[in-house]
Amino acid sequence: MNSTEKKAFTSGSNSNEVAILFENFLCVSKFNVMTGEYRMIKSYQDNRNSGAESCDTIYSYFRQAVESGMIHPDDRELILRYMEPEYLADRLFRGTAGRRLIIHGLRYRLFGEYRSVSMDIFAPRNFSDKAPWTAFCVRADGRTSPDATAVSRIASNYYKILYINLESGLYEPVFMLESEIGSEESLPLLFWDWMRQFACCGNVPNEELEDFLLFTDPEYVRIWLRENDGEYKYRYNRRVGTDYLPAVMKFVRSQSYSEDNPSVYGYICIDDPEGKHSLERRAIEKYFSSIDIMTGMWNRSRFELLCREYSDCFAKKIVEVLYAKLNDVFSDEEDGRLTADQAIRTFAFLMTDTFGRDKCYRIGENELAVIFVGGAGDTFSRRAEQFCSRVEDSEFNYAFLAYISDKGSETVDAAIDKARRKASGVNV
């Protein structure tokens, strides 16, 4: 791990604490080193991996991953040596707490082919035989490293950032400090269970407990957002180490927020009573409000901004589009097929890996697009042909694809519609 990466993943407030930005990882799981109990937080899986996530322990998960071919057979000895309870516990208990193990060069199957990845195993500062919770994170080699300054800025402003559905209680982690992951009560299935367990484990002073449970109740938050503009804020004291420090929890509507889809960003902030970091936080939150959390692509809001900016241009440019629509053949049952979330996440990873994240957009629930304004010439068409070939030759035969180069489009929307019609078999 080079010095730039170390800086990127280190909190400005504690040199031993790691900051985890979830958009940079393919797979994330929290697990108990001693018992093997685990919860998969984020995964990119192909349709031959479905059995792995039903395993009882993280160790049987990795054995199944090798047997199913998710991890290359030649890496069997390496991964099974690390993912053996006594060996792993011994490695993590050595030296100082806050240890990070990195396994380089694992070959991990994505989109029907093996990619070189690194697996990071984080043991937080409080890691011990009484608190043996840690996390493994898988990241693709060769992907652009997160900007060191940007990650450091997030780590010095937030304990964690979550994307939450207030109706279902389901959430997606966006950013967390490793101390937030390492606690036993963190990352349960539902957001409100997390808040309740967090508070009842002594992380909120007893005299604030009743108010904390009220003000973090999803229904209370929904009522407030229904009746008020702006963001919902709640100030409280939270335990950090051995002390209680002031903090702010706030909920901000997502761009797609509605009564039927009450999705919000939850920001748990380090207190800033004088507002010294307000501009910095506004920039960070603006960035996340433009990202589709599931795919790491730009979201519909950012796409609409691109459309407006192009329409305002006096001289129209070439608009090149690769359009993809994923059909509805997914299942949440363990029948060997992808779930919808896994399918979209995996497909989006390959798209951003091919074209770069900055050019990729999720423009609908199951619609993705690569958009080059100004033309990329042979570069775009060559990549588009390669991408379409990879899809056709893979097991991922659930996508309708088309790419076009439109030299006279008045709007980006018109170019997207042209590609959409071509993908559906309509002559354009």
Side-chain angles (χ1 to χ4, degrees), residues 273-293:
E274 298 179 3
K276 293 180 179 179
H277 303 287
S278 59
L279 291 178
E280 187 174 57
R281 293 184 181 187
R282 196 171 300 134
I284 291 169
E285 292 169 20
K286 181 179 180 181
Y287 167 76
F288 285 121
S289 71
S290 300
I291 293 293
D292 176 65
I293 299 302

Side-chain angles (χ1 to χ4, degrees), residues 318-345:
I318 296 173
V319 179
E320 293 175 311
V321 172
L322 171 69
Y323 169 84
K325 181 178 181 180
L326 282 63
N327 64 28
D328 300 322
V329 298
F330 316 115
S331 171
D332 289 328
E333 302 297 325
E334 294 178 11
D335 60 356
R337 291 188 291 173
L338 288 160
T339 65
D341 287 357
Q342 288 173 339
I344 291 171
R345 205 192 292 276

Side-chain angles (χ1 to χ4, degrees), residues 23 41 52 92-93 136 178 194 206 208 214 221 249 262 283 354 368 379:
E23 68 181 39
I41 300 164
L92 293 175
F93 284 129
F136 81 79
E178 51 84 5
W194 191 353
N206 287 333
E208 295 184 25
L214 170 64
V221 177
M249 183 183 301
T354 302
L368 310 175
T379 298

